[in-house]
Amino acid sequence: MSGYLVSDERKVTTRRFIEMKQKGEKISMLTSYDFTTAGIVDRAGIDGILIGDSASNVMVGNATTLPMTVDQMIYHARAVVNGVKRALVVCDMPFGSYQTGRHDGVQNAIRIMKESGCDALKLEGGVEILDTVKAILDAGIPVMAHLGLTPQSINKFGTYAVRAKEEKEAQKLLSDAQALAEAGCFAVTLEKVPAALAEQVTREIGVPTIGIGAGGHCDGQILVVADMLGLTQGFSPRFLRRYADLATVMTDAIGQYVTDVKSGDFPNEKESY
């Protein structure tokens, strides 16, 4: 498959994300962690691809995102960048790479950008990391913010439940989003927050909101590609729509291959030299 499933094959930029919000055009995003998958996702017409630190769960099998390192994120990001021509490519900064302060945050941000070739970075947190976000922006690196359920803080939360249901936390999330947008972040991811709050944030800030479990009023949506393709099992949050059942497709195909090898059917004469 060589062509794209969208007519506009221009490279998507952070500026175009903002223009899409202004035009009322919804933004589509998915995660990817490898060259082959990223190429397929890109050719299908996705607007943005996130190399999420969810690679920790999806690719490695860890219980949380915390173990991911800068080196590992660069490895996955480089693979994705090599497979993408059109989509905006955003890479997560992993836990510990920016929480220690401005200097470490900028140093790690520059390294990820230089060694991966990605287009932008995503950081979790609000005003607590605002100085670091500003410093990264000052270094010329686009930043996507991430509020609501921030998986790198799972040990503080103690649960993956919906965030900002109480008024105090909701007001903090709104003020955090406003501060991050005003600082220059080009977009804000909202994870597992009430739809009404996400709608308010979307209405009150000038940059796009990208929702995951945040209702349909966000400017865009993102899902983990392995989840929406039905590769993962036993994970069925309310916000997840499965568009395929690739786990069954792959299991059946591999099972048939095993059968053909054991029976001597594969390879046949046409498949031999």
Side-chain angles (χ1 to χ4, degrees):
M1 178 176 156
S2 59
Y4 278 71
L5 298 187
V6 289
S7 57
D8 187 350
E9 296 186 14
R10 293 178 301 155
K11 171 68 178 176
V12 180
T13 64
T14 57
R15 180 181 177 86
R16 279 186 63 189
F17 261 45
I18 295 171
E19 289 174 350
M20 289 169 77
K21 177 186 177 83
Q22 293 169 345
K23 294 176 182 176
E25 180 183 350
K26 294 286 190 177
I27 299 166
S28 60
M29 292 192 69
L30 285 171
T31 65
S32 293
Y33 316 101
D34 66 272
F35 169 82
T36 303
T37 304
I40 295 170
V41 170
D42 184 48
R43 290 190 295 273
I46 207 77
D47 297 311
I49 292 177
L50 172 70
I51 303 101
D53 56 5
S54 48
S56 180
N57 313 92
V58 177
M59 304 299 292
V60 186
N62 294 323
T64 71
T65 63
L66 274 63
M68 291 302 286
T69 66
V70 170
D71 285 342
Q72 289 169 330
M73 292 305 302
I74 290 171
Y75 171 84
H76 286 288
R78 183 74 253 172
V80 168
V81 167
N82 285 344
V84 172
K85 293 182 180 179
R86 177 182 179 273
L88 179 77
V89 180
V90 184
C91 183
D92 269 339
M93 290 194 70
F95 178 68
S97 66
Y98 59 95
Q99 290 91 344
T100 51
R102 290 167 57 104
H103 177 75
D104 288 347
V106 173
Q107 194 170 47
N108 285 316
I110 290 172
R111 184 175 167 225
I112 293 170
M113 294 293 288
K114 282 174 68 71
E115 295 184 26
S116 74
C118 65
D119 301 312
L121 302 177
K122 180 167 76 63
L123 284 69
E124 296 182 9
V127 293
E128 303 82 8
I129 63 163
L130 191 58
D131 284 348
T132 300
V133 168
K134 287 179 178 178
I136 294 171
L137 289 166
D138 286 344
I141 299 171
V143 173
M144 174 183 282
H146 182 155
L147 299 171
L149 175 63
T150 47
Q152 292 180 11
S153 301
I154 186 57
N155 289 328
K156 180 177 75 173
F157 294 149
T159 175
Y160 286 104
V162 175
R163 304 302 310 173
K165 291 195 291 185
E166 303 298 327
E167 180 65 20
K168 183 178 180 181
E169 189 178 353
Q171 285 301 318
K172 183 184 185 310
L173 187 146
L174 178 59
S175 63
D176 282 347
Q178 290 168 333
L180 289 160
E182 289 170 5
C185 292
F186 74 91
V188 178
T189 297
L190 299 175
E191 181 169 357
K192 289 191 81 171
V193 301
L197 175 60
E199 181 179 7
Q200 183 182 6
V201 174
T202 302
R203 189 172 60 246
E204 295 190 14
I205 67 173
V207 301
T209 56
I210 308 296
I212 177 166
H217 293 287
C218 293
D219 297 302
Q221 300 292 330
I222 186 167
L223 287 174
V224 171
V225 69
D227 295 338
M228 61 84 69
L229 290 176
L231 285 167
T232 51
Q233 304 291 299
F235 178 69
S236 297
R238 182 187 300 184
F239 64 79
L240 174 60
R241 182 182 297 182
R242 294 192 189 278
Y243 285 81
D245 182 12
L246 292 195
T248 297
V249 172
M250 291 175 67
T251 301
D252 290 347
I254 294 165
Q256 186 62 54
Y257 168 74
V258 172
T259 298
D260 291 350
V261 169
K262 290 186 177 295
S263 69
D265 181 70
F266 177 81
N268 58 32
E269 287 187 11
K270 290 183 178 180
E271 294 159 336
S272 302
Y273 293 98

